[in-house]
Amino acid sequence: LAMKSHHSTYLVLMGILVLTSTIVSSFRTNTVLRTALYPSKEKKTAFFHLRGGSDAVPSTPLSTAGDLSASADDDVAVPTSGGEARIEAPSNFGMGPKSSPPGILRSTFSSVPWHKFPNYLTYARCIAIPAMVAQFYLDTSPAKNIHTSLIFSIASFTDYLDGYLARRWDITSAFGAFLDPVADKLMVSTMLILLSGKYGRLVAIPSAIILAREIAVSALREWMASMGLRDSVKVGFQGKLKTAVTMVALTIVSALPDGSPCGQFVTVWDIVATTGFSMLFFSALITITSGSVYFKAAAPALMGEK
């Protein structure tokens, strides 16, 4: 029991270290968020486009705290290119200039602040993390692993959905730009640590590779941002593929019944277990290759050639 207690303590400490470094690095590299939270005395302007939306700056001034002149229930006057004003429907309020037309849902519930919905999904992903931990350790039902996997898979799907809606509606927010990648890393790191304690080296080895890469790339992005070269290490296709494969692998592994063997093909669960663990090692391989792409792109700056 003492050995298990020490083992759990080490896992918790490692998790705290990884999650803290991820949050701090993401905050420090998000220069726009820091500007929004700590504006200079000379220039305290409102911000609007920060999370995958349009680069176009709105032609009308943004409402500030305490300004009730533009609420979600009001019609908003917006100047057109011809100089004439038109009335924008409440369902379009907060949407970017390149937003898609309102569908049935947005038209029916026009008073709902739809422009905040992607951020609400990100908040839900953060809330799912302690729920996932509690489910993992406290549930004693036979289907406890299925329940844990469902929480993780639904939270993982919101990662795709909030980005899709932000692009479709052309909306952005400073806090969303900061919290969205942090929530993903927190959720994946937490599940990796939980499964490492359960399966030992079978999960701990790929977990160590994935977490080490995340810390290294976060540090690289932080340094590149301080050099004004943040765009040189933007998330690429391999990075997105790595995230998708890792989430699918963790969804499968977390759903496995206790004691499921790996490498056997006797029952359906044996095949599922082998597939899940194989995908986890594959995601570790993609982690290495995608990380090397970022460091290769940053090599000129690291070597003082740029």
Side-chain angles (χ1 to χ4, degrees):
L1 291 177
M3 291 183 64
K4 289 185 177 179
S5 177
H6 287 304
H7 184 58
S8 300
T9 302
Y10 293 148
L11 288 175
V12 171
L13 291 176
M14 183 179 71
I16 293 174
L17 176 63
V18 171
L19 303 184
T20 303
S21 63
T22 300
I23 293 175
V24 172
S25 297
S26 298
F27 175 79
R28 294 183 64 180
T29 54
N30 195 322
T31 55
V32 187
L33 176 62
R34 289 189 282 109
T35 302
L37 293 178
Y38 307 105
S40 61
K41 295 182 179 180
E42 295 80 9
K43 186 177 182 181
K44 295 184 178 181
T45 58
F47 54 87
F48 187 71
H49 298 283
L50 294 170
R51 186 181 173 171
S54 171
D55 293 330
V57 178
S59 55
T60 55
L62 299 173
S63 60
T64 56
D67 181 9
L68 303 180
S69 61
S71 66
D73 297 325
D74 298 333
D75 288 338
V76 183
V78 180
T80 63
S81 57
E84 300 177 354
R86 63 179 174 84
I87 300 299
E88 183 173 321
S91 59
N92 284 335
F93 183 79
M95 303 299 177
K98 299 180 182 179
S99 171
S100 60
I104 297 177
L105 198 60
R106 282 171 55 194
S107 300
T108 304
F109 303 98
S110 59
S111 61
V112 174
W114 292 104
H115 61 290
K116 297 181 180 179
F117 191 65
N119 278 355
Y120 292 157
L121 291 176
T122 304
Y123 303 152
R125 197 153 64 252
C126 294
I127 296 174
I129 296 173
M132 187 172 60
V133 175
Q135 168 66 30
F136 187 87
Y137 283 115
L138 301 181
D139 191 1
T140 57
S141 67
K144 63 178 182 178
N145 295 339
I146 297 293
H147 297 159
T148 303
S149 179
L150 281 175
I151 295 175
F152 181 81
S153 60
I154 294 173
S156 298
F157 178 72
T158 64
D159 177 37
Y160 162 78
L161 186 59
D162 64 5
Y164 170 79
L165 293 177
R167 291 187 297 271
R168 180 175 175 81
W169 294 342
D170 194 26
I171 51 180
T172 56
S173 76
F175 197 64
F178 158 72
L179 190 61
D180 182 55
V182 171
D184 301 339
K185 291 179 174 61
L186 292 178
M187 186 177 65
V188 171
S189 300
T190 300
M191 182 55 77
L192 286 171
I193 292 170
L194 293 177
L195 294 178
S196 295
K198 180 178 181 179
Y199 290 103
R201 60 185 178 184
L202 189 59
V203 176
I205 292 175
S207 296
I209 296 173
I210 294 171
L211 295 179
R213 180 265 191 193
E214 292 296 339
I215 295 174
V217 171
S218 295
L220 177 66
R221 286 182 176 144
E222 179 181 342
W223 185 82
M224 293 294 283
S226 67
M227 300 291 290
L229 301 172
R230 181 71 168 79
D231 290 342
S232 300
V233 286
K234 292 190 298 184
V235 178
F237 172 76
Q238 288 194 42
K240 296 178 181 179
L241 178 63
K242 179 267 302 179
T243 300
V245 174
T246 303
M247 287 181 172
V248 173
L250 292 178
T251 298
I252 295 174
V253 174
S254 60
L256 297 175
D258 294 340
S260 296
C262 177
Q264 299 183 18
F265 300 92
V266 179
T267 66
V268 174
W269 279 116
D270 294 345
I271 299 174
V272 173
T274 302
T275 302
F277 289 117
S278 299
M279 289 186 66
L280 189 58
F281 276 90
F282 178 61
S283 68
L285 178 61
I286 303 176
T287 293
I288 297 173
T289 57
S290 63
S292 65
V293 171
Y294 296 132
F295 278 92
K296 183 178 179 180
L302 290 172
M303 300 302 175
E305 300 173 2
K306 188 174 181 179

